[in-house]
């Protein structure tokens, strides 16, 4: 079925003028009188389209321009150049009709009233977004169930843990059932279990409401688990847009073979199969991991099984962090 | 409209969270009026007429300016600069709500809480000093109300302007503090301006008005 894209970004640029301080105290004093300005190209000619129901991962190093892009899409920043449309609206117009259909969650900021229980913010948002009583009740119950936070809704927000707070932030942002959801590092600072909880939740929300989600994250696990499609940006430029699996195929030159031997082997015998990453032979456990080129992985594995006393063998993808690092190093795609 | 009413309610709840700092805040405004009244009462111990003001007229003046002070000079906008600087303001810009309407409802909520407590405190001060009030002539009351309303609006706008400092710096207290000192002095919070030497009165009226 042909589907209209719900988010369209064409040649988007967002530049900032920032002043450059010279180092040291003298620099500070000089800058009181005269300042040198320079232009930071936070987003520099980016284009993409996103269809309804997609979960897209924004990957990029710190300062790549992820947050800036999301802010332009939310109508918080005016683009320096280019055209942006979300749900058929120009975000910058900040129409209520548009604002009622999307939400932005920022992992490093909170919209909850700090000194009051989260429930107060929920009720305020209900009024602001004009959510009918029945729908509010239903959505709130569902979200509270999914996130298991029924106990903490009436506790002052400042007394909650980071993870609990983030869950409440998500609820506050989702009470009006937004069709489009921008998540800017929603899992930042959370422990692994909590990260997993939130990921599961985001997946469930996407399924339940057919919501379109853009997610930025430092944690590759977030992206790997949630997003089929990834957009990689670096220094404001889009350097990859496509299936996450495609980046992996293209940039992961190697696969990792992890081996368990039934008895001792000599390191030298292993060398000819690939680059040895780890090798340990103590007491009763003999293990090793080796890197082999991905095309030859299957072949090498069968050779290994033939020639060495192998008890267990696993072929794994390298961690996605390593792959992305390679994408950045290569410059473009 | 309901959303703005709810914002005012949350603002009140929020103001009352920290009881100690709330009490300190009230104590400060109470003490400031108390000191003024004490000083003037002392001055009038041995004379009935100072600078052409009788004791009841002067004390009435202090009482009235205390009420006007809490009505006009109270504001919820002190945090605006910091909200802009930190980006916290974003959340309000993202929502389908009129941002100015939101600021206004918070401002009114702040003034309401101020005036309610100020009136309570003034009753207390009345019991202490038991002045006989001399009220301003009633035929100017409409102009007076109009004038107060304008004062509230102008003060709101000036504080919005101070809030825009947040585009460059998180702290708007420096210039604001200077401004408030000047206001308290030139608006006659401490004493009626016509008791000042002619020359200072002239300067004030030339420079400020
Ligand atoms: N308001 C701003 N003023 C000046 N520079 C900014 C502003 N916001 C972001 N930048 C700069 O733009 C670049 C991209 O920032 P950002 O979008 O926050 O990156 P990311 O979210 O990918 O880490 C950074 O170099 C940052 O310093
Ligand atoms: Mg960011």
């Amino acid at each position: 079925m042909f589907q209209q894209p719900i988010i369209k970004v064409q040649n988007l640029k967002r530049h900032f003028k920032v002043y450059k301080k010279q180092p040291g105290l003298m620099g500070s004093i000089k800058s009181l009188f005269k300042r040198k300005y320079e232009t930071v190209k936070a987003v520099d000619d980016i284009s993409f389209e996103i269809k309804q129901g997609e979960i897209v991962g924004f990957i990029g190093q710190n300062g790549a321009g992820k947050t800036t892009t999301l802010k332009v899409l939310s109508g918080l920043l005016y683009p320096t150049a280019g055209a942006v449309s979300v749900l058929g609206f120009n975000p910058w117009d900040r129409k209520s009709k548009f604002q009622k259909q999307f939400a932005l969650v920022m992992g490093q900021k909170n919209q909850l009233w700090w000194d009051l229980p989260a429930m107060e913010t929920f009720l305020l948002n209900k009024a602001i977004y004009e959510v009918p009583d029945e729908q509010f009740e239903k959505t709130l119950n569902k979200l509270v169930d999914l996130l298991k936070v029924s106990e903490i809704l009436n506790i002052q927000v400042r007394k909650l843990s980071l993870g609990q707070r983030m869950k409440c932030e998500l609820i506050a942002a989702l009470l009006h059932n937004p069709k489009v959801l921008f998540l800017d590092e929603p899992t930042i600072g959370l422990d692994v279990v909590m990260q997993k909880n939130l990921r599961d939740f985001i997946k469930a929300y996407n399924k339940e409401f057919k919501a379109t989600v853009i997610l930025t994250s430092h944690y590759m696990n977030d992206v790997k688990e949630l997003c089929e499609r990834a957009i990689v940006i670096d220094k404001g430029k889009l350097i990859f847009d496509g299936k996450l699996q495609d980046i992996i195929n293209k940039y992961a030159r190697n696969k990792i073979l992890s081996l368990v031997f039934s008895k001792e082997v000599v390191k030298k015998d292993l060398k000819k199969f690939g680059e040895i990453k780890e090798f340990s032979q103590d007491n009763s456990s003999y293990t090793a991991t080796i890197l082999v080129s991905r095309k030859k992985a299957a072949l090498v594995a069968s050779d290994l099984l033939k020639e060495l006393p192998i008890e267990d063998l696993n072929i794994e993808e390298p961690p996605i962090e390593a792959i992305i690092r390679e994408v950045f190093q290569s410059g473009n795609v | 409209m309901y959303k703005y009413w709810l914002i005012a309610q949350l603002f009140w709840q929020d103001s009352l969270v920290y009881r100690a700092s709330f009490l300190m805040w009230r104590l400060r405004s109470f003490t400031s009026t108390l000191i003024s009244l004490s000083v003037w009462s002392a001055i009038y111990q041995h004379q009935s007429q100072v600078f052409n003001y009788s004791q009841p007229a002067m004390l009435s003046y202090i009482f009235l300016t205390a009420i006007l002070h809490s009505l006009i000079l109270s504001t919820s906008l002190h945090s605006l600069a910091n909200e802009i600087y930190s980006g916290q303001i974003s959340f309000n810009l993202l929502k389908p709500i009129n941002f100015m309407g939101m600021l206004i409802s918070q401002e009114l909520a702040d003034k309401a809480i101020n005036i309610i407590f100020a009136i309570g405190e003034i009753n207390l001060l009345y019991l202490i000093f038991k002045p006989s009030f001399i009220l301003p002539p009633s035929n100017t009351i409409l102009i007076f109300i109009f004038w107060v309303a304008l004062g509230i609006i102008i003060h709101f706008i000036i504080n919005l302007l101070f809030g825009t400092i947040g585009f460059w710096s998180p702290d708007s207290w420096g210039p604001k503090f200077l401004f408030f000192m000047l206001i308290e002095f030139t608006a006659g919070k401490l004493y009626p301006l016509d008791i000042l030497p002619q020359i200072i009165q002239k300067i004030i009226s030339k420079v400020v008005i």
Side-chain angles (χ1 to χ4, degrees):
Chain A
M1 192 185 87
F2 178 76
Q3 246 188 335
Q4 276 289 327
I6 211 162
I7 297 173
K8 267 192 277 188
V9 173
Q10 278 163 359
N11 305 102
L12 173 68
K13 288 185 189 173
R14 172 71 223 205
H15 297 176
F16 291 109
K17 215 169 100 182
V18 291
Y19 97 87
K20 214 181 168 189
K21 191 180 100 53
Q22 284 154 306
L25 180 59
M26 271 321 281
S28 296
I29 292 170
K30 265 191 208 152
S31 77
L32 282 177
F33 301 100
K34 194 166 186 292
R35 293 190 167 183
K36 274 210 185 89
Y37 288 91
E38 68 173 25
T39 304
V40 174
K41 295 178 178 175
V43 175
D44 196 22
D45 207 358
I46 281 184
S47 306
F48 58 85
E49 292 187 348
I50 293 174
K51 294 200 202 77
Q52 194 195 341
E54 274 192 285
I55 304 189
V56 176
F58 257 44
I59 310 176
Q61 286 161 326
N62 255 328
K66 306 180 294 289
T67 303
T68 305
T69 310
L70 290 189
K71 281 183 175 168
V72 172
L73 290 176
S74 317
L76 287 174
L77 286 174
Y78 188 78
T80 306
V84 175
S85 130
V86 180
L87 292 154
F89 293 89
N90 176 356
W92 181 252
D93 292 340
R94 302 202 3 248
K95 293 231 170 68
S96 318
K97 217 171 154 196
F98 165 62
Q99 291 176 322
K100 282 183 184 174
Q101 296 185 69
F102 88 97
L104 168 68
V105 176
M106 294 184 267
Q108 283 133 314
K109 296 216 175 90
N110 49 309
Q111 67 154 316
L112 299 170
W113 285 54
W114 188 245
D115 289 315
L116 301 177
M119 196 61 200
E120 300 286 351
T121 308
F122 297 167
L123 289 171
L124 178 62
N125 277 2
K126 170 183 183 288
I128 289 178
Y129 287 98
E130 289 160 353
V131 184
D133 289 340
E134 204 178 310
Q135 185 195 333
F136 175 77
E137 203 92 326
K138 218 176 95 192
T139 315
L140 181 64
N141 286 339
K142 192 176 279 168
L143 296 175
V144 166
D145 256 11
L146 277 172
L147 289 167
K148 305 186 185 69
V149 287
S150 54
E151 324 273 89
I152 58 170
L153 297 184
N154 292 310
I155 299 177
Q156 271 186 326
V157 169
R158 71 188 161 94
K159 291 184 181 154
L160 301 179
S161 74
L162 184 61
Q164 292 173 324
R165 207 165 73 217
M166 202 56 226
K167 286 175 168 182
C168 291
E169 281 288 328
L170 276 170
I171 294 178
L174 297 177
L175 281 170
H176 61 287
N177 296 345
K179 286 192 193 136
V180 172
L181 181 56
F182 302 132
L183 300 169
D184 194 18
E185 318 233 5
T187 54
I188 197 157
L190 301 179
D191 63 49
V192 182
V193 178
M194 193 61 85
Q195 284 178 26
K196 173 107 178 60
N197 283 344
L198 286 192
R199 278 203 292 273
D200 291 345
F201 170 75
I202 292 164
K203 213 184 272 175
Y205 183 83
N206 162 260
K207 279 244 168 64
E208 176 94 30
F209 293 93
K210 305 215 165 26
T212 311
V213 181
I214 299 186
L215 169 116
T216 80
S217 183
H218 265 51
Y219 302 116
M220 293 307 164
N221 279 336
D222 287 350
V223 183
K224 199 159 68 182
E225 265 202 28
L226 284 175
C227 315
E228 205 169 281
R229 176 176 166 200
I231 292 179
V232 182
I233 50 180
D234 187 36
K235 301 194 187 87
K237 292 224 186 288
L238 188 147
I239 59 176
F240 179 88
D241 177 359
K243 284 222 172 75
L244 199 57
Q245 195 56 45
D246 288 349
I247 320 185
I248 297 173
N249 292 344
K250 188 157 183 186
Y251 283 91
R253 283 170 302 180
N254 299 316
K255 284 199 175 188
I256 296 171
L257 295 190
S258 44
L259 312 165
V260 180
F261 305 105
S262 53
K263 57 180 192 235
E264 202 172 333
V265 289
V266 199
K267 202 170 176 180
K268 212 179 71 197
D269 287 343
L270 206 55
K271 233 176 187 161
K272 61 176 180 188
F273 293 101
E275 184 189 336
I276 300 174
K277 275 281 175 202
E278 239 184 282
F279 186 79
S280 85
Q281 309 268 306
D282 51 85
N283 302 333
S284 53
S285 88
Y286 315 105
T287 62
T289 50
I290 59 172
L291 279 182
V292 296
S293 110
R294 55 186 304 118
K295 286 185 205 116
K296 281 195 265 165
L299 207 67
V300 174
S302 76
D303 286 350
L304 271 165
L305 285 167
K306 264 183 254 162
E307 291 180 32
L308 294 171
I310 296 216
E311 198 171 274
D312 193 15
L313 181 150
N314 259 315
I315 305 182
E316 290 162 12
E317 294 287 0
I320 195 158
E321 284 88 345
I323 301 170
I324 298 294
R325 210 173 305 130
E326 238 172 276
V327 179
F328 287 127
Q329 271 158 14
S330 78
N332 56 34
V333 179
Chain B
M1 245 10 235
Y2 175 66
K3 40 181 126 169
Y4 298 101
W5 171 234
L6 210 62
I7 285 171
Q9 284 184 14
L10 284 199
F11 183 85
W12 287 324
Q13 285 191 43
D14 207 44
S15 317
L16 298 172
V17 168
Y18 297 102
R19 279 178 302 182
S21 66
F22 184 77
L23 277 177
M24 289 318 241
W25 170 53
R26 291 324 311 177
L27 196 63
R28 202 180 62 208
S29 103
F30 180 78
T31 319
S32 142
T33 316
L34 179 72
I35 291 173
S36 255
L37 288 171
S38 311
V39 169
W40 284 112
S41 298
I43 292 174
Y44 281 105
Q45 288 255 294
H46 302 291
Q47 54 209 102
S48 59
Q49 203 65 6
V50 179
F51 306 117
N52 285 332
Y53 281 85
S54 66
Q55 195 236 25
M58 185 59 88
L59 293 198
S60 303
Y61 181 87
I62 303 289
F63 271 96
L64 200 59
T65 49
I67 294 176
L68 286 180
H69 183 265
S70 63
L71 195 60
I72 296 173
L73 293 186
S74 61
T75 179
S76 63
L77 291 175
H78 289 314
S79 56
L80 184 61
N82 193 23
E83 262 169 50
I84 291 174
Y85 192 80
S86 68
Q88 191 63 30
I89 197 176
S90 302
F91 287 110
N92 297 325
L93 296 174
L94 286 172
K95 293 177 185 177
I97 186 168
N98 183 312
F99 184 63
M100 198 47 82
M102 194 171 162
L103 290 183
I104 290 172
S105 57
Q106 293 192 354
E107 185 79 349
L108 293 179
D110 186 71
K111 287 192 189 299
I113 201 170
N114 248 286
I115 199 72
I116 286 168
F117 279 87
I119 286 175
E121 289 151 20
I122 278 161
N123 276 314
L124 200 63
L125 289 167
Y126 179 80
L127 291 179
I128 299 173
F129 290 92
K130 294 246 165 50
S132 45
F133 272 128
I134 297 178
L135 291 173
S138 61
N139 55 359
T140 54
I141 187 86
L142 281 180
I143 290 182
F144 178 73
I145 291 173
F146 180 64
W147 172 79
V148 170
L150 281 186
I152 289 174
I153 293 169
I154 291 171
H155 185 251
F156 179 74
I157 292 170
I158 288 174
N159 273 294
L160 278 181
L161 290 177
F162 275 123
T164 59
I165 289 176
F167 288 109
W168 298 275
S169 147
D171 189 14
S172 58
W173 269 112
K176 239 188 209 168
F177 193 71
L178 215 72
F179 176 75
F180 278 111
M181 299 262 291
L182 201 70
I183 282 243
E184 294 220 327
F185 178 64
T186 56
K189 163 85 204 304
L190 309 171
Y191 35 71
L193 290 178
D194 59 4
I195 70 172
L196 293 172
Q198 277 298 317
I199 175 76
I200 296 187
Q201 285 191 43
K202 266 221 182 87
I203 293 175
I204 290 177
S205 68
K206 283 274 146 48
V207 174
V208 181
I209 307 160

